[in-house]
C-alpha cells in the first residue's frame, strides 16, 4: 500500500472522521464503522486533506483536466482545498467549481459558484464518500448542461465497498451508468488491512472483535 494511503488512514482516525462502533446509516443499515468528512474543521486538516486528494487524483487521472467540481455542500471545501494543494504539489492551476442548492438570480447569477464550466473543459468530480450514488444523479446533469464537457472521473475519500442499489458497489454502478471512472483514496479493505491489530493513536482500532463485526457486515452488505 502506498505511503500516502497509510498516512491518510491514520489522518482519518486522528481527525475523528473515521469511527468504529455501532452506527445506523441513512440507508438503515447497522454498520460497525462510520465516516464523517464534516469533522475536518481546521485549516491544517483541510490543507492535509487537499494534499491526499491531490495525490490520489494525480495517480488515477494525471494532469489532463481543468476543473475540480465539488457538489454542494461538503464538496465545496473539498474542491477548494484540493485545487490549492494540486497547485502546490504539481504546479498546475486547476479551477474549482461547485453548484448552489438554489439558483441565484442577482449579482453572481446562476447555479454555479467558483469557475464557470465551458466547452472543452475536462472535469474531475470530488466528493467525501458515495454510498448510493444519489448525489451524482443530481450533479451529472448540472455539469452536462454547461456545454461540451468531458467528465474524466470521480474521486471520493473512502470506498465503503458495499452494495449500492444492486449487487455492485456505488462506485461500480457510477462507472456503468455514466461511463466515467470512479475511484477512492482508500478502500475499507485498505483500512482493515492497515489497522487490524495495529496501534493507531495509542490504541488498537480494529481488534479481533471489531474485525469479526466488519466481516459480518460485508457478508451481509458487501459486493459479490
Amino acid at each position: 500500500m502506498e505511503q500516502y494511503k497509510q498516512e491518510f488512514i491514520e489522518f482519518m482516525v486522528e481527525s475523528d472522521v473515521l469511527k468504529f462502533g455501532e452506527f445506523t446509516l441513512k440507508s438503515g443499515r447497522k454498520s460497525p464503522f462510520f465516516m464523517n468528512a464534516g469533522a475536518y474543521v481546521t485549516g491544517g486538516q483541510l490543507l492535509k486533506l487537499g494534499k491526499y486528494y491531490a495525490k490520489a487524483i494525480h495517480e488515477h487521472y494525471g494532469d489532463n483536466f481543468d476543473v475540480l467540481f465539488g457538489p454542494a455542500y461538503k464538496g465545496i471545501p473539498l474542491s477548494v482545498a484540493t485545487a490549492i494543494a494540486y497547485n502546490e504539489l504539481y504546479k498546475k492551476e486547476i479551477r474549482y467549481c461547485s453548484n448552489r442548492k438554489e439558483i441565484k438570480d442577482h449579482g453572481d447569477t446562476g447555479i454555479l459558484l467558483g469557475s464557470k464550466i465551458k466547452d472543452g473543459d475536462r472535469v474531475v468530480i470530488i466528493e467525501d464518500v458515495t454510498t448510493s450514488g444519489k448525489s451524482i444523479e443530481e450533479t451529472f446533469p448540472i455539469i452536462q448542461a454547461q456545454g461540451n464537457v468531458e467528465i474524466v472521473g470521480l474521486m471520493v475519500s473512502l470506498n465503503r465497498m458495499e452494495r449500492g442499489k444492486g449487487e455492485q458497489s456505488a462506485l461500480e454502478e457510477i462507472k456503468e451508468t455514466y461511463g466515467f471512472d470512479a475511484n477512492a483514496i482508500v478502500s475499507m479493505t485498505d483500512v482493515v488491512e492497515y489497522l487490524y491489530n495495529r496501534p493507531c493513536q495509542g490504541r488498537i482500532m480494529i481488534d479481533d472483535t471489531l474485525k469479526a463485526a466488519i466481516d459480518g457486515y460485508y457478508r451481509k452488505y458487501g459486493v459479490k
Side-chain angles (χ1 to χ4, degrees), residues 4-197:
Y4 82 87
K5 293 186 177 183
Q6 297 177 15
E7 293 173 359
F8 181 63
I9 292 167
E10 294 198 10
F11 174 60
M12 284 194 291
V13 174
E14 172 193 332
S15 302
D16 209 26
V17 166
L18 181 60
K19 300 180 179 183
F20 300 96
E22 293 183 9
F23 306 92
T24 301
L25 306 180
K26 220 181 267 189
S27 62
R29 295 175 181 176
K30 306 287 186 183
S31 173
F33 60 91
F34 182 71
M35 191 206 129
N36 174 26
Y40 296 120
V41 293
T42 70
Q45 287 174 331
L46 289 171
L47 178 60
K48 280 186 178 181
L49 181 61
K51 287 181 177 179
Y52 290 125
Y53 266 105
K55 288 176 181 178
I57 289 170
H58 189 264
E59 177 185 336
H60 288 280
Y61 304 128
D63 284 332
N64 193 18
F65 67 100
D66 311 289
V67 181
L68 275 173
F69 187 93
Y73 290 101
K74 286 183 180 178
I76 297 174
L78 291 181
S79 61
V80 172
T82 304
I84 294 169
Y86 208 93
N87 177 262
E88 182 178 325
L89 291 175
Y90 304 110
K91 311 305 178 191
K92 180 177 172 69
E93 288 283 21
I94 299 294
R95 291 143 45 211
Y96 95 90
C97 180
S98 295
N99 63 298
R100 294 183 170 98
K101 290 291 188 180
E102 300 84 21
I103 297 176
K104 190 177 178 186
D105 60 5
H106 61 281
D108 180 18
T109 59
I111 197 169
L112 302 181
L113 55 86
S115 172
K116 302 301 182 187
I117 299 176
K118 59 184 186 298
D119 283 351
D121 276 341
R122 291 168 55 84
V123 179
V124 171
I125 303 171
I126 184 169
E127 289 198 291
D128 56 346
V129 66
T130 298
T131 303
S132 67
K134 181 168 171 41
S135 63
I136 296 297
E137 289 180 14
E138 301 169 356
T139 300
F140 184 76
I142 292 172
I143 296 174
Q144 291 293 91
Q146 307 311 309
N148 183 19
V149 176
E150 179 184 351
I151 299 177
V152 175
L154 166 70
M155 182 61 67
V156 302
S157 58
L158 178 67
N159 180 359
R160 288 185 59 97
M161 301 186 68
E162 60 191 85
R163 295 195 302 275
K165 296 174 183 175
E167 293 301 310
Q168 296 177 306
S169 72
L171 293 186
E172 289 169 334
E173 287 175 351
I174 287 167
K175 289 181 188 180
E176 191 171 278
T177 302
Y178 300 101
F180 56 80
D181 209 4
N183 291 284
I185 303 175
V186 294
S187 67
M188 273 307 295
T189 296
D190 296 327
V191 170
V192 174
E193 175 189 320
Y194 184 71
L195 290 181
Y196 179 46
N197 281 336

